[in-house]
Amino acid sequence: MPTSITTLASEAGHALVSSPAIDKFMHVVNYVSQPQISLPFFFLPLFILMLVLYKQWTRPAVSTLLFVLFCLGYFGSMAISTDYLSIIQKPDNVPITIMLIGLLVCLWMAFRQAAVNDERIAQGKPLIEETRDDKVLCWPDLVYTELICLLLATSILILWSYGLRAPLESPANPAGPPNPSKAPWYFLGLQEMLVYFDPWMAGVLLPGLIVVGLIAMPFIDTNPKGNGYYTLKQRPFAIAVWLFGFLILWVVLIVFGTFLRGPNWNFFGPYEYWDSHRQVPLTNVNLSDFFWNGKNLLGFGLNKPLPTNPFLREIAGIVFTIFWVFILPVLLARTVLRKLFIEMGSARFYTMAVLFVFMGMLPLKMVLRWVFTLKYFVYLPEFNLNL
Amino acid sequence: MIGKALNYVRSSQVWNSIFRHGIPRDRRTRVMAIMSNVFLHLHPVAVRKSGIRLSFTWCMGGLTFFLFLAETISGVLLMFYYRPVPEYAFSDIIALRAHVTLGLLREIHRWGAHAMIIAIWLHMMRVFLTGSYKPPREFNWGVGVILLVVTMLLSFTGYLLPWDQLAIWAITVGSNMGKATPILGMGGPFSDVLKFPGGVPMVTTKSDAAFLLLAGTSVGENALMRFYVLHCIALPLAAAVLIAIHFWRIRKDGGISGPM
């Protein structure tokens, strides 16, 4: 990407701090923040470490240090790159910064209390939530807390409104779409999914399943432990799955969609100029091409022309989809997860399994896209059905 | 002097007609303070001490409700100055910014909306991480999920109203998803399955899911009116009813969660 390096260098000239070392640093960060590098090799390991080392990182000294480091990177970057500065300063992106900080603080509070509680459970001591089990009157103990929160929230909201004008661009022009056109930031996780799936999946089916899955959750999770207190040890599986969905597949994708997707929804590093003329070659191929055509990346395939019958043409993808959605849950119930299946009963198990295979389809498609440039499992434009 | 005046007010017939109990100083009057007030009686009289710690609840549910109220109040005030037709919508926003005294209304409304989305997500995360969706609170968790959807729809419909480039194109991107609805959307899978007798297609660009949302084939004046009504009337009413259920069920399901 020689053009982007030059624009990068010229843009960096306008930043507060600039040196060859910083340019080099920015270039490396731009490169490694691509989704195919940062998601599997940074965010996923970080997520796993967060769960495994929760007793270590939640110690006040450690977490304070981590938080300071995060702030240095997040806000310090504004000094070295005007491109980054303009992204962070965009009024409608400010809530994302607030969300990220709120999320970090809340995650710390949750995992800290989980660490303490898990320690107490191991030692047979009462939980944090049980140490002050006596009841107090709502007036004044709760009512006053609420009043203080209300006053604080009002003042913060007024200060925020005073300091930052609500965005208003030029009047609506139905003939002139901006590039990129973006949905509101809280939906950008879904828009980012459009990279991997067609709108009927990313915009309709998957969001629908998120809502259905969330509502179904209490009926699927039959673990009676961890009800009404913070813990990780007593329900590691539920917490890992849910937080993976929320933090990685929702929040991180929102950050990608907002901060790192520029014109034509091309990827740009955090310190990179949004060059609207950048051309990214579309080299993605369908599973049917892999299956029928011998000259593909892997070198296997039937080495035959694509059949004209669409169902025969897409047979590999159709078989795979039927396997993934319908057969895999049954297979799991019969083999590895047999014990779980018997414990949960078939209705609960299959509801959970179908939700999981659809959730798993996103990381699966991501990996296949990055490794094999796979475009669609099933490509049936005859029915607008591409998966 | 002030104490005397206060005593006079508190012993007056007017004061006693409003607050039918003494100053909340002892147990009985404190209980009365909660029970005899229509707003405060959302609370139980007594709560578990561990449940109301800020580090346990993060106050995020309460904050979401506070922001809902702030949005309602600032929203009603904004409605005085705004006409939901393309000719006036944008200029009304400009005029609002330029001419209305204490012109922070739109800022409060917009940042409050974004803050509400953040607060509701964090509230959901807290409820999840404390396992508070588990029995007996399964139903209320479901109500909460619907409230989350309604909140995001409220924010989404409001995004169109300033009628600037940001607004119409964000809504265009969002409503394009409607076109992709399987069977019911013109661009979605199996859009030609539904047919009237005689083979006339039922789902066309003028009858599909996106048309239902926009009242047109693109984001135009009908969409603006539709989003305005949804934003100012239908969705807030739905939210208010759901909030009532949500709060009522918190009480019925045993109050703020805690170890069983």
Side-chain angles (χ1 to χ4, degrees):
Chain A
M1 300 174 284
T3 47
S4 61
I5 297 170
T6 47
T7 46
L8 196 93
S10 70
E11 282 297 314
H14 303 295
L16 286 176
V17 198
S18 175
S19 81
I22 288 178
D23 287 355
K24 182 90 190 152
F25 166 79
M26 297 204 299
H27 183 228
V28 170
V29 172
N30 284 341
Y31 184 77
V32 297
S33 48
Q34 297 176 74
Q36 62 267 44
I37 299 175
S38 59
L39 275 175
F41 301 115
F42 178 72
F43 288 111
L44 187 63
L46 192 70
F47 176 73
I48 294 169
L49 283 179
M50 177 186 83
L51 293 177
V52 175
L53 298 178
Y54 74 114
K55 283 185 180 154
Q56 284 77 29
W57 74 260
T58 51
R59 287 193 196 121
V62 183
S63 44
T64 310
L65 181 73
L66 289 173
F67 187 69
V68 170
L69 284 176
F70 167 81
C71 289
L72 269 179
Y74 193 91
F75 297 106
S77 292
M78 297 201 283
I80 61 171
S81 167
T82 45
D83 297 311
Y84 181 82
L85 182 72
S86 65
I87 294 174
I88 295 292
Q89 278 188 333
K90 204 169 164 255
D92 257 6
N93 289 352
V94 170
I96 300 184
T97 303
I98 293 173
M99 173 189 65
L100 289 177
I101 290 175
L103 200 56
L104 290 180
V105 174
C106 288
L107 277 174
W108 174 74
M109 285 199 286
F111 277 98
R112 176 74 194 150
Q113 292 177 80
V116 173
N117 270 345
D118 288 346
E119 193 77 20
R120 290 183 178 202
I121 294 166
Q123 293 169 352
K125 288 184 194 163
L127 304 160
I128 308 173
E129 287 83 354
E130 285 168 334
T131 48
R132 286 185 287 179
D133 213 23
D134 44 336
K135 283 200 163 188
V136 288
L137 287 179
C138 235
W139 184 295
D141 288 64
L142 181 56
V143 177
Y144 273 64
T145 314
E146 285 175 345
L147 181 68
I148 293 166
C149 282
L150 188 146
L151 291 175
L152 263 178
T154 312
S155 7
I156 290 172
L157 190 58
I158 289 175
L159 279 178
W160 184 1
S161 305
Y162 191 74
L164 190 67
R165 297 237 76 158
L168 192 66
E169 296 186 352
S170 48
N173 173 12
N179 186 10
S181 289
K182 290 189 178 185
W185 65 269
Y186 37 84
F187 285 137
L188 281 193
L190 300 176
Q191 203 176 347
E192 176 66 12
M193 279 190 222
L194 285 175
V195 173
Y196 307 98
F197 288 111
D198 271 13
W200 73 273
M201 271 291 278
V204 184
L205 190 66
L206 289 178
L209 283 176
I210 294 173
V211 173
V212 171
L214 282 173
I215 294 176
M217 209 176 72
F219 306 99
I220 295 169
D221 180 7
T222 49
N223 178 2
K225 286 179 183 163
N227 187 344
Y229 54 95
Y230 291 101
T231 174
L232 178 61
K233 220 172 187 173
Q234 295 189 334
R235 40 195 288 257
F237 180 68
I239 288 182
V241 172
W242 198 89
L243 280 185
F244 177 77
F246 180 53
L247 296 179
I248 305 284
L249 299 184
W250 188 254
V251 173
V252 171
L253 289 194
I254 285 176
V255 172
F256 271 101
T258 325
F259 289 178
L260 306 178
R261 291 290 180 182
N264 309 321
W265 209 254
N266 283 332
F267 175 85
F268 292 88
Y271 310 132
E272 210 168 344
Y273 172 68
W274 282 13
D275 179 3
S276 57
H277 300 293
R278 173 187 282 188
Q279 299 288 328
V280 177
L282 297 170
T283 53
N284 298 332
V285 286
N286 296 325
L287 186 61
S288 48
D289 295 320
F290 276 114
F291 186 72
W292 294 103
N293 188 348
K295 281 174 285 189
N296 58 46
L297 181 72
L298 294 177
F300 72 79
L302 298 176
N303 221 343
K304 282 181 184 166
L306 289 179
T308 42
N309 183 320
F311 293 107
L312 184 62
R313 185 187 71 217
E314 301 300 325
I315 189 74
I318 292 170
V319 168
F320 168 77
T321 310
I322 290 174
F323 170 79
W324 185 259
V325 179
F326 297 105
I327 302 184
L328 186 64
V330 182
L331 222 56
L332 289 174
R334 295 276 165 86
T335 57
V336 201
L337 300 179
R338 193 176 162 75
K339 218 178 129 202
L340 194 68
F341 174 75
I342 293 165
E343 265 174 33
M344 290 175 75
S346 59
R348 279 201 180 89
F349 182 86
Y350 285 123
T351 311
M352 177 187 80
V354 168
L355 288 169
F356 276 12
V357 294
F358 272 101
M359 182 176 168
M361 223 178 234
L362 179 62
L364 177 79
K365 186 82 179 276
M366 284 176 166
V367 171
L368 292 174
R369 172 68 57 82
W370 301 331
V371 180
F372 301 116
T373 65
L374 179 82
K375 189 166 167 64
Y376 292 121
F377 295 116
V378 179
Y379 177 64
L380 287 170
E382 293 86 349
F383 308 94
N384 284 332
L385 182 69
N386 307 324
L387 181 70
Chain B
M1 184 65 193
I2 296 169
K4 247 185 178 174
L6 273 178
N7 269 341
Y8 176 75
V9 171
R10 280 185 184 137
S11 59
S12 68
Q13 191 186 353
V14 176
W15 179 273
N16 284 302
S17 72
I18 302 171
F19 301 105
R20 294 196 171 279
H21 54 79
I23 304 161
R25 273 190 194 133
D26 53 17
R27 197 178 161 81
R28 196 189 74 87
T29 44
R30 283 174 172 174
V31 169
M32 290 289 287
I34 298 292
M35 290 211 310
S36 63
N37 183 303
V38 68
F39 302 108
L40 294 180
H41 97 288
L42 279 172
H43 301 102
V45 163
V47 281
R48 225 193 335 255
K49 208 170 180 177
S50 65
I52 57 169
R53 286 171 309 131
L54 215 52
S55 58
F56 184 76
T57 64
W58 311 344
C59 205
M60 280 303 163
L63 207 55
T64 310
F65 180 56
F66 160 73
L67 287 164
F68 177 75
L69 297 179
E71 291 300 287
T72 309
I73 294 166
S74 58
V76 167
L77 293 174
L78 280 169
M79 284 170 77
F80 290 138
Y81 301 104
Y82 176 81
R83 288 164 286 180
V85 283
E87 288 85 348
Y88 296 121
F90 184 79
S91 55
D92 281 353
I93 301 286
I94 297 280
L96 180 81
R97 185 183 260 191
H99 304 310
V100 177
T101 315
L102 295 174
L104 289 181
L105 275 179
R106 197 167 85 85
E107 276 70 22
I108 289 177
H109 199 71
R110 190 175 190 103
W111 301 137
H114 289 320
M116 190 173 164
I117 298 260
I118 298 168
I120 204 167
W121 288 357
L122 293 178
H123 173 60
M124 183 172 71
M125 188 171 89
R126 192 285 288 180
V127 171
F128 172 78
L129 287 175
T130 53
S132 308
Y133 58 92
K134 297 187 177 201
R137 297 184 180 80
E138 310 99 307
F139 176 75
N140 215 15
W141 165 267
V143 175
V145 174
I146 306 288
L147 268 169
L148 169 81
V149 175
V150 171
T151 304
M152 289 175 76
L153 287 178
L154 267 167
S155 207
F156 182 68
T157 47
Y159 215 81
L160 181 65
L161 305 186
W163 204 246
D164 61 344
Q165 280 288 76
L166 196 63
I168 64 160
W169 291 104
I171 303 308
T172 303
V173 169
S175 56
N176 273 345
M177 298 300 121
K179 290 198 179 96
T181 313
I183 300 170
L184 300 177
M186 206 28 210
F190 310 116
S191 55
D192 52 358
V193 169
L194 295 180
K195 282 192 170 71
F196 288 112
V200 182
M202 209 180 259
V203 177
T204 64
T205 48
K206 293 200 172 169
S207 68
D208 73 342
F211 192 89
L212 177 75
L213 184 67
L214 298 179
T217 50
S218 63
V219 179
E221 56 179 335
N222 290 345
L224 181 57
M225 182 51 83
R226 197 157 281 203
F227 274 49
Y228 178 75
V229 174
L230 285 173
H231 185 74
C232 301
I233 297 178
L235 290 169
L237 279 178
V241 172
L242 287 164
I243 289 171
I245 300 173
H246 201 59
F247 285 1
W248 189 71
R249 282 303 289 248
I250 297 175
R251 289 285 301 275
K252 295 293 159 187
D253 296 343
I256 301 173
S257 64
M260 311 278 267

